[in-house]
C-alpha cells in the first residue's frame, strides 16, 4: 500500500508539472546561466547565453503552444552556436523528478542485460559481443564479468558497436583491461566546471585472463556515438583493433543532465577528450574505420579477417 501511495504521489506531481503554467523567461534565463558556467568551451557557452537572452528580450519564446515546442526551439538555438550532438534540451517532468529523487537510472527503464545484447562464441572459436551501451561497470558486474570471461577464452573477438549510443568510460576501462598486458593510458579528460584533468588507464587486475595479442575487431555505424566512439578511437590509435564499418557519429564532449526549471532539463557537455596518442579527439568528425564498408556488411568482413588471423596464428 505504501509503495502504491508513493507511485500515485509521483504521478500526481508529474501531472501538476505538466498542467501548470510554465514561465518561458524563467526557463530561458536559467538555461543561459547553466550553459555560460558549464559548457566545455567558455566562449561558446557565453555565446549561447547571449543568444537565448537576446531572443527572450525580443519575445521570440513567448508564443509556443507547449513546453515541448519551447524545448525544441532552445535546443536548436544552442546548436546554432556550436553543433554539439551532446547538447539536448528537453521537457521531461518524469525524468526531472527521477533525477531529483536520485534514481540511478535517471527515470529511464534499464535493460535486463545492461547493453550486453548478445554474447556468444561463433564457429572457429570467434568471440562475439553485441554491445548496445556502456553501462557503469560498478552497477553491472554480474553481467559484464561473465561476458568478458567467456569472450577472452576465444581466439579472436568481435565487438559489435553498430547500435551503441554510448555510456560510461568505466566499462571501456574494464573491457580494455583484458586486452593489454600492462597498465595502458586510454584517455585524458578535461572538465571545465572545476578546471581539472582526469585520466583513464587499464588495470590488469580487473581481468580474469589477459590476451594482449588476441585479434580484435570493432564494428561501427553512423549511429555509434560517444563512449562507443571512445572505445573505438582508443583501440584504433593504440593499434589494438581493426575498425570495420562506417564513420561514427562524432560526439566527444562528455557531460550529463542538469535541471533547469518547470520540468525542463538540458544535457550539458562539460568536458572534452584528449587522446594520449593523437592529442585530440573525434568531435564533429567521428572515428574513421580502418576498413570502410556499409554497416550491414561489417560483421561478414570481420569474420573473414578473424578466421584468416586465427589460421595464420596456428
Amino acid at each position: 500500500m505504501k509503495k502504491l501511495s508513493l507511485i500515485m504521489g509521483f504521478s500526481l506531481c508529474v501531472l501538476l508539472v505538466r498542467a501548470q503554467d510554465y514561465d518561458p523567461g524563467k526557463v530561458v534565463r536559467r538555461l543561459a546561466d547553466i550553459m555560460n558556467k558549464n559548457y566545455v568551451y567558455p566562449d561558446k557557452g557565453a555565446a549561447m547565453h547571449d543568444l537565448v537572452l537576446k531572443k527572450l528580450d525580443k519575445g521570440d519564446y513567448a508564443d509556443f503552444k507547449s513546453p515541448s515546442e519551447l524545448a525544441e526551439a532552445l535546443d536548436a538555438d544552442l546548436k546554432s552556436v556550436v553543433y554539439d550532438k551532446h547538447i539536448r534540451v528537453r521537457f521531461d517532468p518524469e525524468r526531472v523528478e527521477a533525477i531529483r529523487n536520485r534514481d540511478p537510472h535517471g527515470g529511464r527503464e534499464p535493460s535486463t542485460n545492461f547493453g550486453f545484447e548478445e554474447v556468444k562464441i561463433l564457429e572457429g572459436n570467434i568471440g562475439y559481443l553485441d554491445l548496445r551501451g556502456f553501462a557503469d561497470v560498478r552497477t553491472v558486474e554480474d553481467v559484464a564479468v561473465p561476458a568478458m570471461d567467456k569472450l577472452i577464452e576465444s581466439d579472436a573477438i568481435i565487438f559489435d558497436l553498430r547500435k551503441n549510443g554510448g555510456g560510461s568510460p568505466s566499462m571501456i576501462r574494464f573491457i580494455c583491461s583484458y586486452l593489454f598486458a600492462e597498465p595502458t593510458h586510454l584517455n585524458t579528460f578535461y572538465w571545465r566546471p572545476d578546471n581539472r584533468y582526469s585520466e583513464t588507464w587499464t588495470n590488469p587486475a580487473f581481468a580474469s585472463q589477459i590476451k594482449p595479442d588476441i585479434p580484435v575487431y570493432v564494428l561501427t555505424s553512423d549511429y555509434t556515438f560517444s563512449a562507443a566512439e571512445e572505445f573505438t578511437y582508443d583501440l584504433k590509435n593504440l593499434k589494438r583493433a581493426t575498425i570495420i564499418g562506417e564513420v561514427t557519429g562524432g560526439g566527444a564532449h562528455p557531460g550529463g543532465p542538469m535541471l533547469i526549471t518547470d520540468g525542463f532539463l538540458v544535457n550539458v557537455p562539460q568536458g572534452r577528450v584528449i587522446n594520449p596518442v593523437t592529442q585530440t579527439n573525434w568531435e564533429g568528425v567521428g572515428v574513421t574505420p580502418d576498413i570502410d564498408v556499409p554497416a550491414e556488411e561489417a560483421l561478414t568482413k570481420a569474420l573473414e579477417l578473424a578466421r584468416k588471423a586465427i589460421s595464420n596464428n596456428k
Side-chain angles (χ1 to χ4, degrees), residues 203-233:
N203 185 345
F206 291 163
S208 61
Q209 183 181 172
I210 295 169
K211 288 187 176 179
D213 299 318
I214 189 173
V216 175
Y217 305 89
V218 179
L219 313 186
T220 62
S221 72
D222 60 1
Y223 181 84
T224 307
F225 191 67
S226 194
E229 293 179 279
E230 184 198 333
F231 181 83
T232 305
Y233 195 84

PDB file of all heavy atoms in Angstrom, residues 203-233:
ATOM      1  N   ASN A 203      43.617  -1.711 -16.160  1.00  0.00           N
ATOM      2  CA  ASN A 203      44.136  -2.305 -14.923  1.00  0.00           C
ATOM      3  C   ASN A 203      44.090  -3.821 -15.074  1.00  0.00           C
ATOM      4  O   ASN A 203      43.012  -4.415 -15.048  1.00  0.00           O
ATOM      5  CB  ASN A 203      43.298  -1.863 -13.725  1.00  0.00           C
ATOM      6  CG  ASN A 203      43.860  -2.355 -12.410  1.00  0.00           C
ATOM      7  OD1 ASN A 203      44.712  -3.246 -12.373  1.00  0.00           O
ATOM      8  ND2 ASN A 203      43.384  -1.795 -11.310  1.00  0.00           N
ATOM      9  N   PRO A 204      45.235  -4.471 -15.251  1.00  0.00           N
ATOM     10  CA  PRO A 204      45.250  -5.930 -15.435  1.00  0.00           C
ATOM     11  C   PRO A 204      44.568  -6.695 -14.308  1.00  0.00           C
ATOM     12  O   PRO A 204      44.093  -7.823 -14.519  1.00  0.00           O
ATOM     13  CB  PRO A 204      46.749  -6.250 -15.488  1.00  0.00           C
ATOM     14  CG  PRO A 204      47.391  -4.985 -15.972  1.00  0.00           C
ATOM     15  CD  PRO A 204      46.583  -3.882 -15.359  1.00  0.00           C
ATOM     16  N   ALA A 205      44.464  -6.097 -13.133  1.00  0.00           N
ATOM     17  CA  ALA A 205      43.826  -6.780 -12.003  1.00  0.00           C
ATOM     18  C   ALA A 205      42.334  -6.972 -12.225  1.00  0.00           C
ATOM     19  O   ALA A 205      41.709  -7.818 -11.567  1.00  0.00           O
ATOM     20  CB  ALA A 205      44.063  -5.991 -10.711  1.00  0.00           C
ATOM     21  N   PHE A 206      41.741  -6.215 -13.151  1.00  0.00           N
ATOM     22  CA  PHE A 206      40.309  -6.347 -13.419  1.00  0.00           C
ATOM     23  C   PHE A 206      39.984  -7.626 -14.189  1.00  0.00           C
ATOM     24  O   PHE A 206      38.854  -8.098 -14.174  1.00  0.00           O
ATOM     25  CB  PHE A 206      39.801  -5.162 -14.245  1.00  0.00           C
ATOM     26  CG  PHE A 206      39.777  -3.846 -13.513  1.00  0.00           C
ATOM     27  CD1 PHE A 206      39.684  -2.664 -14.222  1.00  0.00           C
ATOM     28  CD2 PHE A 206      39.843  -3.786 -12.131  1.00  0.00           C
ATOM     29  CE1 PHE A 206      39.651  -1.440 -13.559  1.00  0.00           C
ATOM     30  CE2 PHE A 206      39.815  -2.577 -11.466  1.00  0.00           C
ATOM     31  CZ  PHE A 206      39.720  -1.392 -12.181  1.00  0.00           C
ATOM     32  N   ALA A 207      40.961  -8.172 -14.896  1.00  0.00           N
ATOM     33  CA  ALA A 207      40.697  -9.247 -15.853  1.00  0.00           C
ATOM     34  C   ALA A 207      41.039 -10.618 -15.279  1.00  0.00           C
ATOM     35  O   ALA A 207      42.056 -10.791 -14.597  1.00  0.00           O
ATOM     36  CB  ALA A 207      41.494  -9.013 -17.126  1.00  0.00           C
ATOM     37  N   SER A 208      40.207 -11.595 -15.576  1.00  0.00           N
ATOM     38  CA  SER A 208      40.481 -12.972 -15.173  1.00  0.00           C
ATOM     39  C   SER A 208      41.604 -13.570 -16.008  1.00  0.00           C
ATOM     40  O   SER A 208      42.323 -14.472 -15.570  1.00  0.00           O
ATOM     41  CB  SER A 208      39.222 -13.816 -15.339  1.00  0.00           C
ATOM     42  OG  SER A 208      38.807 -13.815 -16.704  1.00  0.00           O
ATOM     43  N   GLN A 209      41.743 -13.055 -17.224  1.00  0.00           N
ATOM     44  CA  GLN A 209      42.767 -13.536 -18.154  1.00  0.00           C
ATOM     45  C   GLN A 209      43.068 -12.402 -19.122  1.00  0.00           C
ATOM     46  O   GLN A 209      42.165 -11.678 -19.532  1.00  0.00           O
ATOM     47  CB  GLN A 209      42.257 -14.771 -18.912  1.00  0.00           C
ATOM     48  CG  GLN A 209      43.271 -15.390 -19.842  1.00  0.00           C
ATOM     49  CD  GLN A 209      42.717 -16.596 -20.595  1.00  0.00           C
ATOM     50  OE1 GLN A 209      43.371 -17.121 -21.486  1.00  0.00           O
ATOM     51  NE2 GLN A 209      41.513 -17.029 -20.244  1.00  0.00           N
ATOM     52  N   ILE A 210      44.330 -12.250 -19.479  1.00  0.00           N
ATOM     53  CA  ILE A 210      44.725 -11.175 -20.391  1.00  0.00           C
ATOM     54  C   ILE A 210      45.318 -11.788 -21.650  1.00  0.00           C
ATOM     55  O   ILE A 210      46.170 -12.673 -21.586  1.00  0.00           O
ATOM     56  CB  ILE A 210      45.749 -10.241 -19.722  1.00  0.00           C
ATOM     57  CG1 ILE A 210      45.108  -9.532 -18.534  1.00  0.00           C
ATOM     58  CG2 ILE A 210      46.289  -9.214 -20.720  1.00  0.00           C
ATOM     59  CD1 ILE A 210      46.091  -8.808 -17.661  1.00  0.00           C
ATOM     60  N   LYS A 211      44.849 -11.298 -22.790  1.00  0.00           N
ATOM     61  CA  LYS A 211      45.390 -11.746 -24.071  1.00  0.00           C
ATOM     62  C   LYS A 211      45.786 -10.510 -24.885  1.00  0.00           C
ATOM     63  O   LYS A 211      44.995  -9.997 -25.679  1.00  0.00           O
ATOM     64  CB  LYS A 211      44.369 -12.591 -24.828  1.00  0.00           C
ATOM     65  CG  LYS A 211      44.141 -13.971 -24.228  1.00  0.00           C
ATOM     66  CD  LYS A 211      43.254 -14.817 -25.130  1.00  0.00           C
ATOM     67  CE  LYS A 211      43.089 -16.226 -24.590  1.00  0.00           C
ATOM     68  NZ  LYS A 211      42.187 -17.036 -25.465  1.00  0.00           N
ATOM     69  N   PRO A 212      47.003 -10.041 -24.707  1.00  0.00           N
ATOM     70  CA  PRO A 212      47.430  -8.820 -25.396  1.00  0.00           C
ATOM     71  C   PRO A 212      47.595  -8.977 -26.901  1.00  0.00           C
ATOM     72  O   PRO A 212      47.724  -7.975 -27.608  1.00  0.00           O
ATOM     73  CB  PRO A 212      48.761  -8.490 -24.722  1.00  0.00           C
ATOM     74  CG  PRO A 212      49.268  -9.790 -24.218  1.00  0.00           C
ATOM     75  CD  PRO A 212      48.061 -10.566 -23.811  1.00  0.00           C
ATOM     76  N   ASP A 213      47.591 -10.218 -27.381  1.00  0.00           N
ATOM     77  CA  ASP A 213      47.794 -10.448 -28.813  1.00  0.00           C
ATOM     78  C   ASP A 213      46.563 -11.006 -29.522  1.00  0.00           C
ATOM     79  O   ASP A 213      46.621 -11.280 -30.727  1.00  0.00           O
ATOM     80  CB  ASP A 213      48.971 -11.411 -29.018  1.00  0.00           C
ATOM     81  CG  ASP A 213      50.273 -10.846 -28.468  1.00  0.00           C
ATOM     82  OD1 ASP A 213      50.521  -9.639 -28.675  1.00  0.00           O
ATOM     83  OD2 ASP A 213      51.017 -11.596 -27.815  1.00  0.00           O
ATOM     84  N   ILE A 214      45.462 -11.200 -28.816  1.00  0.00           N
ATOM     85  CA  ILE A 214      44.265 -11.735 -29.460  1.00  0.00           C
ATOM     86  C   ILE A 214      43.754 -10.746 -30.504  1.00  0.00           C
ATOM     87  O   ILE A 214      43.659  -9.543 -30.243  1.00  0.00           O
ATOM     88  CB  ILE A 214      43.172 -12.058 -28.416  1.00  0.00           C
ATOM     89  CG1 ILE A 214      42.006 -12.816 -29.073  1.00  0.00           C
ATOM     90  CG2 ILE A 214      42.665 -10.802 -27.727  1.00  0.00           C
ATOM     91  CD1 ILE A 214      40.975 -13.310 -28.062  1.00  0.00           C
ATOM     92  N   PRO A 215      43.460 -11.191 -31.723  1.00  0.00           N
ATOM     93  CA  PRO A 215      42.918 -10.278 -32.737  1.00  0.00           C
ATOM     94  C   PRO A 215      41.574  -9.695 -32.293  1.00  0.00           C
ATOM     95  O   PRO A 215      40.703 -10.426 -31.806  1.00  0.00           O
ATOM     96  CB  PRO A 215      42.757 -11.183 -33.967  1.00  0.00           C
ATOM     97  CG  PRO A 215      43.700 -12.318 -33.743  1.00  0.00           C
ATOM     98  CD  PRO A 215      43.697 -12.550 -32.268  1.00  0.00           C
ATOM     99  N   VAL A 216      41.424  -8.392 -32.450  1.00  0.00           N
ATOM    100  CA  VAL A 216      40.210  -7.689 -32.022  1.00  0.00           C
ATOM    101  C   VAL A 216      39.662  -6.882 -33.192  1.00  0.00           C
ATOM    102  O   VAL A 216      40.419  -6.204 -33.905  1.00  0.00           O
ATOM    103  CB  VAL A 216      40.502  -6.742 -30.835  1.00  0.00           C
ATOM    104  CG1 VAL A 216      39.256  -5.931 -30.475  1.00  0.00           C
ATOM    105  CG2 VAL A 216      40.996  -7.536 -29.631  1.00  0.00           C
ATOM    106  N   TYR A 217      38.339  -6.951 -33.351  1.00  0.00           N
ATOM    107  CA  TYR A 217      37.662  -6.219 -34.420  1.00  0.00           C
ATOM    108  C   TYR A 217      36.495  -5.442 -33.807  1.00  0.00           C
ATOM    109  O   TYR A 217      35.763  -5.972 -32.967  1.00  0.00           O
ATOM    110  CB  TYR A 217      37.165  -7.185 -35.496  1.00  0.00           C
ATOM    111  CG  TYR A 217      38.278  -8.055 -36.027  1.00  0.00           C
ATOM    112  CD1 TYR A 217      38.577  -9.279 -35.417  1.00  0.00           C
ATOM    113  CD2 TYR A 217      39.072  -7.640 -37.089  1.00  0.00           C
ATOM    114  CE1 TYR A 217      39.641 -10.063 -35.856  1.00  0.00           C
ATOM    115  CE2 TYR A 217      40.133  -8.422 -37.547  1.00  0.00           C
ATOM    116  CZ  TYR A 217      40.411  -9.629 -36.919  1.00  0.00           C
ATOM    117  OH  TYR A 217      41.457 -10.393 -37.356  1.00  0.00           O
ATOM    118  N   VAL A 218      36.342  -4.195 -34.215  1.00  0.00           N
ATOM    119  CA  VAL A 218      35.256  -3.354 -33.725  1.00  0.00           C
ATOM    120  C   VAL A 218      34.394  -2.932 -34.908  1.00  0.00           C
ATOM    121  O   VAL A 218      34.908  -2.385 -35.895  1.00  0.00           O
ATOM    122  CB  VAL A 218      35.787  -2.101 -32.998  1.00  0.00           C
ATOM    123  CG1 VAL A 218      34.626  -1.235 -32.514  1.00  0.00           C
ATOM    124  CG2 VAL A 218      36.692  -2.489 -31.830  1.00  0.00           C
ATOM    125  N   LEU A 219      33.094  -3.215 -34.809  1.00  0.00           N
ATOM    126  CA  LEU A 219      32.157  -2.876 -35.883  1.00  0.00           C
ATOM    127  C   LEU A 219      31.453  -1.561 -35.564  1.00  0.00           C
ATOM    128  O   LEU A 219      30.973  -1.359 -34.444  1.00  0.00           O
ATOM    129  CB  LEU A 219      31.115  -3.987 -36.051  1.00  0.00           C
ATOM    130  CG  LEU A 219      31.622  -5.426 -36.097  1.00  0.00           C
ATOM    131  CD1 LEU A 219      30.473  -6.381 -36.406  1.00  0.00           C
ATOM    132  CD2 LEU A 219      32.758  -5.581 -37.108  1.00  0.00           C
ATOM    133  N   THR A 220      31.386  -0.667 -36.545  1.00  0.00           N
ATOM    134  CA  THR A 220      30.797   0.656 -36.329  1.00  0.00           C
ATOM    135  C   THR A 220      29.758   1.003 -37.384  1.00  0.00           C
ATOM    136  O   THR A 220      29.720   0.426 -38.469  1.00  0.00           O
ATOM    137  CB  THR A 220      31.887   1.740 -36.343  1.00  0.00           C
ATOM    138  OG1 THR A 220      32.516   1.763 -37.639  1.00  0.00           O
ATOM    139  CG2 THR A 220      32.927   1.511 -35.264  1.00  0.00           C
ATOM    140  N   SER A 221      28.928   1.992 -37.039  1.00  0.00           N
ATOM    141  CA  SER A 221      27.970   2.574 -37.974  1.00  0.00           C
ATOM    142  C   SER A 221      27.919   4.069 -37.706  1.00  0.00           C
ATOM    143  O   SER A 221      28.582   4.570 -36.794  1.00  0.00           O
ATOM    144  CB  SER A 221      26.576   1.957 -37.769  1.00  0.00           C
ATOM    145  OG  SER A 221      26.009   2.432 -36.553  1.00  0.00           O
ATOM    146  N   ASP A 222      27.090   4.782 -38.462  1.00  0.00           N
ATOM    147  CA  ASP A 222      26.963   6.210 -38.188  1.00  0.00           C
ATOM    148  C   ASP A 222      26.166   6.465 -36.910  1.00  0.00           C
ATOM    149  O   ASP A 222      26.099   7.601 -36.428  1.00  0.00           O
ATOM    150  CB  ASP A 222      26.341   6.953 -39.376  1.00  0.00           C
ATOM    151  CG  ASP A 222      24.937   6.459 -39.724  1.00  0.00           C
ATOM    152  OD1 ASP A 222      24.407   5.558 -39.045  1.00  0.00           O
ATOM    153  OD2 ASP A 222      24.364   6.982 -40.701  1.00  0.00           O
ATOM    154  N   TYR A 223      25.558   5.427 -36.328  1.00  0.00           N
ATOM    155  CA  TYR A 223      24.853   5.535 -35.048  1.00  0.00           C
ATOM    156  C   TYR A 223      25.816   5.428 -33.860  1.00  0.00           C
ATOM    157  O   TYR A 223      25.538   5.932 -32.772  1.00  0.00           O
ATOM    158  CB  TYR A 223      23.787   4.437 -34.953  1.00  0.00           C
ATOM    159  CG  TYR A 223      22.984   4.464 -33.670  1.00  0.00           C
ATOM    160  CD1 TYR A 223      21.872   5.295 -33.541  1.00  0.00           C
ATOM    161  CD2 TYR A 223      23.346   3.661 -32.585  1.00  0.00           C
ATOM    162  CE1 TYR A 223      21.139   5.331 -32.358  1.00  0.00           C
ATOM    163  CE2 TYR A 223      22.621   3.690 -31.396  1.00  0.00           C
ATOM    164  CZ  TYR A 223      21.522   4.516 -31.295  1.00  0.00           C
ATOM    165  OH  TYR A 223      20.800   4.547 -30.124  1.00  0.00           O
ATOM    166  N   THR A 224      26.947   4.766 -34.049  1.00  0.00           N
ATOM    167  CA  THR A 224      27.928   4.578 -32.983  1.00  0.00           C
ATOM    168  C   THR A 224      28.335   5.952 -32.437  1.00  0.00           C
ATOM    169  O   THR A 224      28.765   6.822 -33.201  1.00  0.00           O
ATOM    170  CB  THR A 224      29.167   3.837 -33.527  1.00  0.00           C
ATOM    171  OG1 THR A 224      28.739   2.629 -34.174  1.00  0.00           O
ATOM    172  CG2 THR A 224      30.135   3.498 -32.415  1.00  0.00           C
ATOM    173  N   PHE A 225      28.216   6.147 -31.111  1.00  0.00           N
ATOM    174  CA  PHE A 225      28.334   7.512 -30.588  1.00  0.00           C
ATOM    175  C   PHE A 225      28.961   7.531 -29.200  1.00  0.00           C
ATOM    176  O   PHE A 225      28.883   6.564 -28.435  1.00  0.00           O
ATOM    177  CB  PHE A 225      26.929   8.142 -30.541  1.00  0.00           C
ATOM    178  CG  PHE A 225      26.908   9.621 -30.269  1.00  0.00           C
ATOM    179  CD1 PHE A 225      27.422  10.524 -31.189  1.00  0.00           C
ATOM    180  CD2 PHE A 225      26.364  10.118 -29.093  1.00  0.00           C
ATOM    181  CE1 PHE A 225      27.398  11.884 -30.949  1.00  0.00           C
ATOM    182  CE2 PHE A 225      26.333  11.484 -28.837  1.00  0.00           C
ATOM    183  CZ  PHE A 225      26.845  12.371 -29.764  1.00  0.00           C
ATOM    184  N   SER A 226      29.604   8.647 -28.873  1.00  0.00           N
ATOM    185  CA  SER A 226      30.049   8.991 -27.526  1.00  0.00           C
ATOM    186  C   SER A 226      31.020   7.941 -26.967  1.00  0.00           C
ATOM    187  O   SER A 226      32.098   7.737 -27.523  1.00  0.00           O
ATOM    188  CB  SER A 226      28.826   9.199 -26.625  1.00  0.00           C
ATOM    189  OG  SER A 226      29.153   9.828 -25.413  1.00  0.00           O
ATOM    190  N   ALA A 227      30.661   7.279 -25.855  1.00  0.00           N
ATOM    191  CA  ALA A 227      31.578   6.308 -25.259  1.00  0.00           C
ATOM    192  C   ALA A 227      31.901   5.167 -26.221  1.00  0.00           C
ATOM    193  O   ALA A 227      33.012   4.616 -26.185  1.00  0.00           O
ATOM    194  CB  ALA A 227      30.988   5.744 -23.966  1.00  0.00           C
ATOM    195  N   ALA A 228      30.953   4.797 -27.082  1.00  0.00           N
ATOM    196  CA  ALA A 228      31.234   3.761 -28.085  1.00  0.00           C
ATOM    197  C   ALA A 228      32.313   4.238 -29.060  1.00  0.00           C
ATOM    198  O   ALA A 228      33.143   3.454 -29.527  1.00  0.00           O
ATOM    199  CB  ALA A 228      29.957   3.401 -28.839  1.00  0.00           C
ATOM    200  N   GLU A 229      32.305   5.538 -29.332  1.00  0.00           N
ATOM    201  CA  GLU A 229      33.353   6.102 -30.183  1.00  0.00           C
ATOM    202  C   GLU A 229      34.690   6.148 -29.432  1.00  0.00           C
ATOM    203  O   GLU A 229      35.750   5.931 -30.029  1.00  0.00           O
ATOM    204  CB  GLU A 229      32.971   7.511 -30.621  1.00  0.00           C
ATOM    205  CG  GLU A 229      31.774   7.551 -31.552  1.00  0.00           C
ATOM    206  CD  GLU A 229      31.412   8.970 -31.944  1.00  0.00           C
ATOM    207  OE1 GLU A 229      30.730   9.658 -31.147  1.00  0.00           O
ATOM    208  OE2 GLU A 229      31.823   9.400 -33.041  1.00  0.00           O
ATOM    209  N   GLU A 230      34.636   6.441 -28.148  1.00  0.00           N
ATOM    210  CA  GLU A 230      35.878   6.469 -27.376  1.00  0.00           C
ATOM    211  C   GLU A 230      36.548   5.097 -27.394  1.00  0.00           C
ATOM    212  O   GLU A 230      37.761   4.985 -27.614  1.00  0.00           O
ATOM    213  CB  GLU A 230      35.629   6.896 -25.933  1.00  0.00           C
ATOM    214  CG  GLU A 230      36.934   7.023 -25.153  1.00  0.00           C
ATOM    215  CD  GLU A 230      36.773   7.009 -23.649  1.00  0.00           C
ATOM    216  OE1 GLU A 230      35.712   7.400 -23.149  1.00  0.00           O
ATOM    217  OE2 GLU A 230      37.725   6.569 -22.969  1.00  0.00           O
ATOM    218  N   PHE A 231      35.770   4.052 -27.139  1.00  0.00           N
ATOM    219  CA  PHE A 231      36.303   2.684 -27.171  1.00  0.00           C
ATOM    220  C   PHE A 231      36.966   2.414 -28.524  1.00  0.00           C
ATOM    221  O   PHE A 231      38.090   1.895 -28.596  1.00  0.00           O
ATOM    222  CB  PHE A 231      35.157   1.707 -26.920  1.00  0.00           C
ATOM    223  CG  PHE A 231      35.546   0.255 -26.907  1.00  0.00           C
ATOM    224  CD1 PHE A 231      36.075  -0.334 -25.771  1.00  0.00           C
ATOM    225  CD2 PHE A 231      35.350  -0.541 -28.026  1.00  0.00           C
ATOM    226  CE1 PHE A 231      36.421  -1.675 -25.750  1.00  0.00           C
ATOM    227  CE2 PHE A 231      35.691  -1.881 -28.022  1.00  0.00           C
ATOM    228  CZ  PHE A 231      36.221  -2.452 -26.877  1.00  0.00           C
ATOM    229  N   THR A 232      36.272   2.777 -29.588  1.00  0.00           N
ATOM    230  CA  THR A 232      36.770   2.569 -30.944  1.00  0.00           C
ATOM    231  C   THR A 232      38.039   3.377 -31.204  1.00  0.00           C
ATOM    232  O   THR A 232      39.036   2.856 -31.721  1.00  0.00           O
ATOM    233  CB  THR A 232      35.684   2.967 -31.965  1.00  0.00           C
ATOM    234  OG1 THR A 232      34.483   2.245 -31.688  1.00  0.00           O
ATOM    235  CG2 THR A 232      36.129   2.689 -33.384  1.00  0.00           C
ATOM    236  N   TYR A 233      38.009   4.642 -30.818  1.00  0.00           N
ATOM    237  CA  TYR A 233      39.135   5.553 -31.042  1.00  0.00           C
ATOM    238  C   TYR A 233      40.365   5.117 -30.242  1.00  0.00           C
ATOM    239  O   TYR A 233      41.491   5.131 -30.739  1.00  0.00           O
ATOM    240  CB  TYR A 233      38.701   6.956 -30.634  1.00  0.00           C
ATOM    241  CG  TYR A 233      39.582   8.092 -31.096  1.00  0.00           C
ATOM    242  CD1 TYR A 233      39.437   8.644 -32.376  1.00  0.00           C
ATOM    243  CD2 TYR A 233      40.522   8.660 -30.241  1.00  0.00           C
ATOM    244  CE1 TYR A 233      40.223   9.725 -32.782  1.00  0.00           C
ATOM    245  CE2 TYR A 233      41.309   9.733 -30.640  1.00  0.00           C
ATOM    246  CZ  TYR A 233      41.158  10.258 -31.914  1.00  0.00           C
ATOM    247  OH  TYR A 233      41.927  11.335 -32.316  1.00  0.00           O
TER     248      TYR A 233
END
